[in-house]
Amino acid sequence: EQVENPQEQKILRLIEQLHAHGYSYVSIAKRLNKGGLLGRAGRKWRATVVRDVNEKAQEGRITVPY
């Protein structure tokens, strides 16, 4: 699935970058929430959701046009 929404693209890139720099899923979720960035369902981020999104991106199941 290709992510078309620009806000979702921004969030996905941020998750990938932060995780690549050694941030934990908990710290990424906290950072997203602190920045007011909500998930697709309009809810605050949880570490498990950040992990799932990142794993799907790593597996190529969701992609962002760079």
Side-chain angles (χ1 to χ4, degrees):
E1 165 191 1
Q2 177 134 349
V3 177
E4 299 295 337
N5 181 301
Q7 181 69 14
E8 290 179 5
Q9 292 174 0
K10 176 183 170 185
I11 291 170
L12 182 54
R13 286 187 191 110
L14 182 59
I15 290 171
E16 290 176 318
Q17 290 169 357
L18 291 174
H19 190 258
H21 283 92
Y23 286 79
S24 70
Y25 293 126
V26 171
S27 63
I28 295 171
K30 286 180 181 179
R31 190 172 188 151
L32 292 171
N33 291 330
K34 189 173 184 177
L37 302 171
L38 299 176
R40 214 177 231 185
R43 297 185 184 142
K44 289 187 175 183
W45 288 91
R46 297 184 326 249
T48 54
V49 175
V50 172
R51 182 200 64 216
D52 292 347
V53 167
N54 190 60
E55 287 179 356
K56 287 178 183 178
Q58 300 258 331
E59 295 168 359
R61 293 191 285 155
I62 54 175
T63 60
V64 176
Y66 283 91

